[in-house]
């Protein structure tokens, strides 16, 4: 999702202090370090939660996401329960498929392991294939595209009582996953991942 860069020193300090108090001194240092990149999504999450990402180059595995509401900071990376707590804290009410998809998308993005590339796909055209010496043969790409064209679909949300079942296709490293994420009206989340394909010829650096 699109992001915009911000250099808000007060935000850095608040998040750094919260992470230090939580027992994450390494992440607290990264948050306060002006050499690290700090980014926010250009679109506000449902419920109004503020999401902030920190990146340090050339060490992407140290990157992380936090959610912020007022003076509260939620460390989200590899912490699905923290994402749910964030949604509860803002009093989220999911009342439409659009909101459900947005919540599921941000859940996948912010709670993922940062050392593995991950992208929510809208179609097979969103897959970037390896180039150079590791590039697959054109006929192999054509075969994969043909096999996956009708499998990968844009994110959808189906109403189920007071919840929505969101289906997303996610490229995680070289593995294609189908994620079925149940989002309740008040922001509770259940996630199930099924492997659709593995060892896809995508760039190693992804």
């Amino acid at each position: 999702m699109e992001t915009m860069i911000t250099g808000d020193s007060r935000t850095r300090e608040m998040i750094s202090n919260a992470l230090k108090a939580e027992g994450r001194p390494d992440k607290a240092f990264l948050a306060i370090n002006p050499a690290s990149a700090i980014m926010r999504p250009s679109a506000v999450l449902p419920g109004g939660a503020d999401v902030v990402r920190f990146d340090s180059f050339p060490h992407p595995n140290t990157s992380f996401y936090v959610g912020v509401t007022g003076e509260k900071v939620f460390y989200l990376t590899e912490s699905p329960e923290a994402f749910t707590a964030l949604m509860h804290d803002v009093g989220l009410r999911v009342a439409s498929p659009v909101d459900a998809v947005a919540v599921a998308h941000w859940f996948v993005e912010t709670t993922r392991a940062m050392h593995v590339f991950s992208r929510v796909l809208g179609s097979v055209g969103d897959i970037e294939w390896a180039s150079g010496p590791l590039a697959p043969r054109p006929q192999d790409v054509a075969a994969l595209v043909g096999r996956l064209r009708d499998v990968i679909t844009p994110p959808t949300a189906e109403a189920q009582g007071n919840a929505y079942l969101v289906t997303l296709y996610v490229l995680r490293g070289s593995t294609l996953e189908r994620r079925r994420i149940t989002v309740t009206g008040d922001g509770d989340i259940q996630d199930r991942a099924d492997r659709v394909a593995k060892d896809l010829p995508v760039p190693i650096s992804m």
Side-chain angles (χ1 to χ4, degrees):
M1 291 190 177
E2 285 187 26
T3 57
M4 60 180 180
I5 298 176
T6 174
D8 189 339
S9 59
R10 182 180 179 280
T11 297
R12 284 183 179 272
E13 183 177 4
M14 180 190 68
I15 293 173
S16 179
N17 289 340
L19 293 175
K20 193 179 300 181
E22 192 179 320
R24 300 181 185 272
D26 55 334
K27 302 304 184 184
F29 174 77
L30 182 59
I32 200 66
N33 186 351
S36 66
I38 173 174
M39 296 180 287
R40 282 192 173 99
S42 55
V44 178
L45 268 69
D50 189 13
V51 168
V52 183
R53 172 174 169 164
F54 291 91
D55 288 301
S56 179
F57 302 99
H59 305 293
N61 58 321
T62 64
S63 300
F64 64 94
Y65 278 99
V66 296
V68 180
T69 61
E71 297 297 316
K72 292 184 181 179
V73 175
F74 299 79
Y75 183 83
L76 301 177
T77 300
E78 297 187 73
S79 304
E81 67 286 350
F83 188 93
T84 299
L86 174 66
M87 296 295 95
H88 287 176
D89 195 72
V90 297
L92 177 67
R93 292 293 178 265
V94 180
S96 72
V98 172
D99 280 353
V101 168
V103 170
H105 195 151
W106 279 108
F107 172 81
V108 169
E109 172 60 27
T110 62
T111 66
R112 67 184 178 91
M114 300 300 284
H115 66 278
V116 178
F117 172 85
S118 178
R119 174 185 295 168
V120 175
L121 305 176
S123 71
V124 70
D126 291 337
I127 298 177
E128 179 182 349
W129 307 102
S131 59
L134 298 178
R137 299 180 303 171
Q139 58 265 40
D140 292 337
V141 170
L144 285 167
V145 169
R147 179 161 67 91
L148 298 176
R149 178 180 290 112
D150 294 331
V151 173
I152 302 172
T153 59
T156 60
E158 175 187 351
Q160 294 190 340
N162 70 336
Y164 289 91
L165 176 61
V166 179
T167 301
L168 303 171
Y169 287 87
V170 180
L171 184 63
R172 188 172 62 84
S174 61
T175 300
L176 176 64
E177 295 180 336
R178 180 188 296 110
R179 302 284 286 271
R180 298 191 187 277
I181 302 172
T182 300
V183 182
T184 68
D186 59 0
D188 283 336
I189 295 173
Q190 294 181 348
D191 180 24
R192 190 185 80 194
D194 299 310
R195 189 175 68 191
V196 176
K198 65 176 183 177
D199 300 328
L200 294 177
V202 297
I204 291 176
S205 60
M206 295 176 68

